[in-house]
């Protein structure tokens, strides 16, 4: 199967602020050519004259099934108060809850141009099932909490179920998702890191999300969360760390020398009054910075387009410097930097020959996008989910002309509503 995208404004994300008008040829799920005026026969030709073509977005940190708790407990004072409301709900969740809400989460990701996400949640075998139906990629997290013994139990009893659900499907990877230093002991991190090393995967964790987390860690262990995690060996394996708000210069050095990626979650950090990540300082230290939505209960959506907009504006107002995070910087976080964070940059994240055809077409022929002027600025400051016209994942259209092709959106909505009503009665 070959598809030829013609006359698109292509932002390949291979060179800073570079874009051109041209064509993209997709063969057998991969990008065969991306250049001006391709004259080659194809099974399908798409006229993308009014479209921007860019790599599909990478959501480097979320909790997919938490769409169940969207718009729930939105005015808690801080993260800890919010978690005290959320944990009791999570204790009630079952497989069907996770499956149905994961389907809705996948629909929302696709709808906003995202084809891969890094997840951290429970009953992940059900999320795998939903993602397979959706036809996108999933970096699934085996959650770790509590102590080392509990970590060993999860490896023995839960991981096999997730791996069985994944099978030999290379659209998935199972990472270790250690919740945080305030819910997992150093021994838990050690066990998880050894498991990661044995399997050749990545470690995913929340890091320095709040000042309280940092202060409590200093009181308990005499060191920052970053220093504590490094001391366990959990940063000696490939790792990415969500939030990374309260990092000292020394903490940033820890991430930098261990090649740990930071994942910026601006909406969640604003909503829970957590703080603002120091993007400029981390970049200066050579830290790779990705972008994530966090869960829809602390966001309240999974739109990477909205996250880009908020992420840019938050950096501007917090530093009083409009160039603190330029549109291209933000687009990097949402595409190639996200791919680097989760170890998929050889396969996705840019529009280059030989890479998988994960491509999103953005319609610029709409009231909120005209006149286009600077397409980079347009994507970060003007675009909306409604502008996402077509989305490819490995060359397969998972959204076409505004309509999802793999998931019945209305069914996913109604089923998730049913599950939530049932949860509230339990």
């Amino acid at each position: 199967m070959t598809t030829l995208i013609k006359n698109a404004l292509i932002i390949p994300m291979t060179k800073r602020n570079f874009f051109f008008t041209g064509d993209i040829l997709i063969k057998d799920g991969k990008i065969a050519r991306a250049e001006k005026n391709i004259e080659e026969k194809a099974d399908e030709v798409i006229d993308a004259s009014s479209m921007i073509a860019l790599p599909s977005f990478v959501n480097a940190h979320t909790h997919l099934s938490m769409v169940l708790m969207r718009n729930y407990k939105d005015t808690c004072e801080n993260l800890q108060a919010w978690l005290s409301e959320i944990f009791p709900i999570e204790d009630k969740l079952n497989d069907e809850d996770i499956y149905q809400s994961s389907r809705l989460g996948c629909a929302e990701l696709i709808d906003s141009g995202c084809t891969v996400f890094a997840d951290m949640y429970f009953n992940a075998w059900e999320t795998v099932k939903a993602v397979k139906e959706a036809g996108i990629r999933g970096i699934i997290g085996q959650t770790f909490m509590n102590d080392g013994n509990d970590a060993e139990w999860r490896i023995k009893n839960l991981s096999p179920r997730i791996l069985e659900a994944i099978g030999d499907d290379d659209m998935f990877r199972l990472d270790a998702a250690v919740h945080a230093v305030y819910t997992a002991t150093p021994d838990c991190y050690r066990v998880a890191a050894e498991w990661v090393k044995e399997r050749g995967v990545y470690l995913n964790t929340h890091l320095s999300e709040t000042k309280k987390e940092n202060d409590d860690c200093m009181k308990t262990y005499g060191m920052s969360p970053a220093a504590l995690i490094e001391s366990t060996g959990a940063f000696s394996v490939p790792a990415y760390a969500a939030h990374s708000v309260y990092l000292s210069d020394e903490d940033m050095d820890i991430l930098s020398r261990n090649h740990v990626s930071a994942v910026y979650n601006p909406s969640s950090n604003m909503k829970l009054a957590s703080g603002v990540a120091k993007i400029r300082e981390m970049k200066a230290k050579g830290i790779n910075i990705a972008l994530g939505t966090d869960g829809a209960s602390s966001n309240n959506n999974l739109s990477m387009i909205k996250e880009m907009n908020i992420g840019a504006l938050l950096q501007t107002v917090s530093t009083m410097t409009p160039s603190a995070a330029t549109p291209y910087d933000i687009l990097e976080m949402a595409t190639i930097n996200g791919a680097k964070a989760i170890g998929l940059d050889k396969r996705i994240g840019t529009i280059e020959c030989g890479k998988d055809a994960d491509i999103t077409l953005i319609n610029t022929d709409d009231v909120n996008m005209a006149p286009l002027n600077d397409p980079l600025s347009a994507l970060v400051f003007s675009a909306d989910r409604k502008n996402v016209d077509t989305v490819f994942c490995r060359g397969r259209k998972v959204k076409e002309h505004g309509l999802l092709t793999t998931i019945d959106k209305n069914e996913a909505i109604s089923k998730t509503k049913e599950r939530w009503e049932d949860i509230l009665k339990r």
Side-chain angles (χ1 to χ4, degrees):
M1 173 67 181
T2 57
T3 300
L4 181 58
I5 301 170
K6 293 286 293 181
N7 308 312
L9 197 162
I10 302 170
I11 304 177
M13 299 306 301
T14 55
K15 187 166 60 175
R16 190 166 190 84
N17 297 331
F18 173 64
F19 51 87
F20 67 98
T21 299
D23 307 338
I24 303 169
L25 181 65
I26 301 171
K27 284 186 177 180
D28 299 322
K30 293 193 176 290
I31 299 168
R33 297 168 67 184
E35 58 199 64
K36 293 183 178 181
N37 197 29
I38 297 173
E39 295 293 343
E40 188 168 332
K41 289 185 177 179
D43 298 312
E44 179 186 29
V45 178
I46 297 172
D47 181 10
S49 300
S50 62
M51 306 284 184
I52 293 173
L54 77 161
S56 295
F57 300 121
V58 178
N59 189 340
H61 177 69
T62 193
H63 312 281
L64 193 68
S65 299
M66 291 186 83
V67 295
L68 276 168
M69 288 156 272
R70 194 196 312 269
N71 310 320
Y72 179 74
K73 302 299 180 182
D74 282 342
T75 55
C76 293
E77 286 187 18
N78 51 42
L79 173 66
Q80 287 71 31
W82 177 76
L83 286 173
S84 71
E85 299 282 357
I86 295 299
F87 284 161
I89 292 290
E90 290 182 328
D91 288 341
K92 299 179 181 182
L93 301 182
N94 60 35
D95 279 5
E96 188 67 11
D97 300 329
I98 301 299
Y99 168 63
Q100 295 297 349
S101 57
S102 292
R103 290 180 73 243
L104 181 63
C106 287
E108 188 173 3
L109 291 175
I110 294 168
D111 206 32
S112 54
C114 178
T115 57
V116 59
F117 66 102
D119 204 39
M120 178 190 287
Y121 215 59
F122 314 110
N123 302 44
W125 46 88
E126 295 296 330
T127 296
V128 171
K129 185 166 70 172
V131 176
K132 284 189 175 185
E133 290 179 23
I136 60 175
R137 304 173 191 271
I139 303 300
I140 305 299
Q142 167 57 69
T143 56
F144 288 93
M145 301 174 80
N146 305 316
D147 59 17
N149 290 332
D150 186 75
E152 295 281 8
W153 183 89
R154 290 168 188 253
I155 290 170
K156 181 179 179 180
N157 294 283
L158 302 181
S159 297
R161 293 189 66 180
I162 305 171
L163 290 169
E164 182 181 10
I166 291 172
D168 60 359
D169 193 334
D170 68 354
M171 296 283 274
F172 294 86
R173 190 181 71 226
L174 180 59
D175 284 353
V178 190
H179 186 259
V181 296
Y182 57 89
T183 52
T185 67
D187 274 345
C188 182
Y189 274 96
R190 290 188 191 98
V191 171
E194 283 301 314
W195 186 68
V196 164
K197 193 180 296 184
E198 290 169 8
R199 299 185 57 251
V201 292
Y202 280 57
L203 187 138
N204 170 14
T205 191
H206 295 104
L207 176 68
S208 293
E209 184 174 356
T210 65
K211 186 174 184 298
K212 177 175 170 53
E213 175 187 335
N214 270 29
D215 291 346
D216 289 350
C217 192
M218 288 296 297
K219 288 176 184 175
T220 304
Y221 299 105
M223 61 183 86
S224 70
L228 178 65
I229 295 171
E230 183 185 45
S231 74
T232 69
F235 280 163
S236 66
V237 298
Y240 46 105
H243 303 295
S244 300
V245 174
Y246 289 91
L247 299 182
S248 65
D249 283 346
E250 292 77 15
D251 292 335
M252 292 183 200
D253 288 337
I254 289 171
L255 267 60
S256 181
R257 68 172 171 257
N258 288 286
H259 308 291
V260 176
S261 293
V263 186
Y264 181 35
N265 305 111
S267 294
S268 178
N269 295 154
M270 291 169 67
K271 180 182 173 185
L272 295 174
S274 297
V276 184
K278 300 172 184 175
I279 298 301
R280 285 191 304 179
E281 291 84 348
M282 284 194 279
K283 280 191 66 180
K285 296 275 190 180
I287 298 169
N288 180 59
I289 306 168
L291 189 68
T293 61
D294 210 348
S297 56
S298 66
N299 186 303
N300 297 23
N301 64 69
L302 302 178
S303 171
M304 288 291 287
I305 294 178
K306 183 177 179 182
E307 207 65 22
M308 288 195 300
N309 178 260
I310 289 174
L313 295 176
L314 181 58
Q315 287 302 308
T316 294
V317 74
S318 64
T319 63
M320 297 305 290
T321 306
S323 61
T326 69
Y328 193 81
D329 292 335
I330 295 292
L331 284 165
E332 275 191 320
M333 293 178 203
T335 56
I336 184 58
N337 285 7
K340 288 177 181 176
I342 60 175
L344 292 184
D345 51 306
K346 301 298 183 187
R347 295 172 61 182
I348 60 170
T350 59
I351 295 178
E352 292 183 90
C353 295
K355 284 198 171 183
D356 286 359
D358 283 28
I359 299 168
T360 288
L361 300 181
I362 305 288
N363 180 16
T364 65
D365 193 16
D366 208 339
V367 291
N368 63 314
M369 298 287 279
L372 190 62
N373 287 317
D374 183 345
L376 304 174
S377 289
L379 286 170
V380 172
F381 294 121
S382 298
D384 191 87
R385 188 168 62 194
K386 69 175 182 176
N387 301 117
V388 177
D389 182 270
T390 299
V391 180
F392 294 87
C393 185
R394 196 182 267 179
R396 177 190 183 188
K397 279 183 280 190
V398 290
K399 183 177 183 179
E400 183 175 18
H401 302 317
L403 299 175
L404 302 184
T405 63
T406 56
I407 293 180
D408 184 326
K409 181 166 65 175
N410 292 330
E411 181 190 38
I413 292 168
S414 65
K415 291 289 186 182
T416 303
K417 285 180 178 179
E418 287 175 10
R419 300 315 302 173
W420 180 244
E421 289 170 5
D422 187 65
I423 291 165
L424 292 176
K425 295 174 185 175
R426 292 175 199 166

